[in-house]
Every structure is written in C-alpha cells, then in structure tokens.
Amino acid sequence: MTEAKRLLDRAAGAAKARPGEGPSVDYEAIEQLRALPTPFTAADFAGLHYTKFNRETVNALFVYARQVGELWDKFDSLAGRVLPESRRTELNEAAQDETAITTSPTGCVPTLGEGGFRCGLVYVDMPDADAAATKLKVRVTRGSKPFEKELYLGQDLRQNASNYVILTNPEQSAGVLGQRKNAFASYRQDLAEIARLMDSTLETQGGLEKGLGAVAGLDEIASF
C-alpha cells in the first residue's frame, strides 16, 4: 500500500499544472502501479475463525479487502486507458493544450475607483531564469506590446494599485479562462477518483490496525 500510494502521488504530481511548467503523464508510474502484485483478496479471509475479534474489526477487515481489490482493479483500468500507444499520443497532445495555458499564465492588474477595486485580466510573460524576479511583463492580448508591472506580494494596493499584477491560479481558473475539457482533463479526474479511494482505504487500514492490535494483545495474555 505504501508503494502504491507513492506511485499514485507521483502520477498526480506530474499531472498538475503550474505557472511556467506544463502537466504531463507519468507513464512509468502508471506501469509500475499496474505491475504491483495484489496484496490479498477477500478469499484469503474466508473460512477463518474470528471469535476473538469484535464485530467492528471483522467488518473493517472485509471492507479493507474490498477497497484494496477495487484499488487494484482501478490501477489496471487506468493503465488500460493510458498506456496504449494511440492513447499516449492523444494524452500528450491534450497535455500540450494545457501547457500552452500554464506556460503563458494570466494575471490581473488592479485599479481603485469609486466602486472599489477592479481587476483587469492580462497575459503574463514569466521570466525564464530568475525565479525570484518581482518585475514582470504583461500584455492585454498575447501579441500586444508588453508593459512592466510589479508582482503583487502583499503590498498596500491603496497606493498605485495599477502598478502591480496578481497572478491567477491556472487550475482554479480553468473554467473561467475557457480551457476545454480534453483527454488529459479526464485522465487527471481519474487520478483524483483513485486518490479518494486510496485515502479511504488508508483510513480503514488505520482503524483495522488498532483493532488487530487489540486482538494481538488478547492472544499474548492468553498465552500465560
């Protein structure tokens, strides 16, 4: 389970869009997920005696077995949708669509007027080398003349608000900015669904470990 969680986190991390860096599919992580042997099945627990187990622990044991089985089924299903060569081509092209957005990030230039603050959306030219740069070039359209603005880092906007640019979050702004849903977006949604099941499974595992610890303690006491 630990290795499965690590590989799933790795794939999810590669699929994230960040300013200046496009998302990608970690095919190697998906291949390794599919290759992981199934730890056990529900059949491994059938026909055994659970007289020392409380009802909650027995229920948790079979819930855990079911969840693990579902996880490994989803790993196989995900690999089947991602790893074929034709599917890789489609996913790579879809990722490039998102990269075009993340490598040309947007921001907003605030202005203060009678109605309070307003924000005008702009394209931002992120610097290539100096990640700590606080001066950024912005454009009203992709091909228009750039203007220099100062990166907003918490300054007082009541003074010269239009001198600053506030970067947008590309993932949270995808719907507003008109990013189309494509094969890569579906892939990332699949990863999120599996991650939710993984979290639920690990939660069940934690409770089960406590229950089994109590049973182990009973065995130890009975041995004296």
Side-chain angles (χ1 to χ4, degrees), residues 124-202:
V124 179
D125 296 339
M126 298 299 292
D128 294 328
D130 187 2
T134 59
K135 298 292 186 180
L136 302 176
K137 299 289 187 180
V138 306
R139 305 170 186 268
V140 177
T141 65
R142 291 187 186 275
S144 65
K145 178 181 177 181
F147 296 89
E148 187 175 82
K149 299 292 181 180
E150 185 173 351
L151 178 63
Y152 177 71
L153 297 171
Q155 299 93 330
D156 186 355
L157 290 179
R158 293 172 297 181
Q159 299 293 328
N160 302 316
S162 62
N163 288 347
Y164 301 99
V165 59
I166 303 172
L167 296 181
T168 57
N169 184 314
E171 288 185 338
Q172 293 181 348
S173 306
V176 175
L177 296 176
Q179 178 183 355
R180 67 182 179 90
K181 181 177 177 63
N182 54 29
F184 193 87
S186 297
Y187 162 70
R188 188 157 47 201
Q189 185 176 351
D190 289 341
L191 287 178
E193 180 182 343
I194 297 175
R196 286 191 292 270
L197 177 57
M198 173 66 76
D199 290 342
S200 179
T201 305
L202 291 176

Side-chain angles (χ1 to χ4, degrees), residues 24-25 27 87-97 184:
S24 63
V25 179
Y27 296 105
R87 183 63 171 169
R88 293 192 187 204
T89 300
E90 181 183 5
L91 283 167
N92 290 339
E93 290 177 353
Q96 289 177 3
D97 289 345
F184 193 87

Side-chain angles (χ1 to χ4, degrees), residues 42-55:
D44 295 326
F45 304 104
L48 302 179
H49 298 290
Y50 298 98
T51 56
K52 293 183 179 180
F53 290 62
N54 61 45
R55 180 176 298 178

Side-chain angles (χ1 to χ4, degrees), residues 19 66 104:
R66 175 179 56 78
S104 298

Side-chain angles (χ1 to χ4, degrees), residues 6-8 10-11 26-35:
R6 185 187 71 81
L7 291 170
L8 184 59
R10 180 175 133 185
D26 191 334
Y27 296 105
E28 183 181 9
I30 302 301
E31 289 173 346
Q32 292 179 21
L33 268 177
R34 183 173 63 177

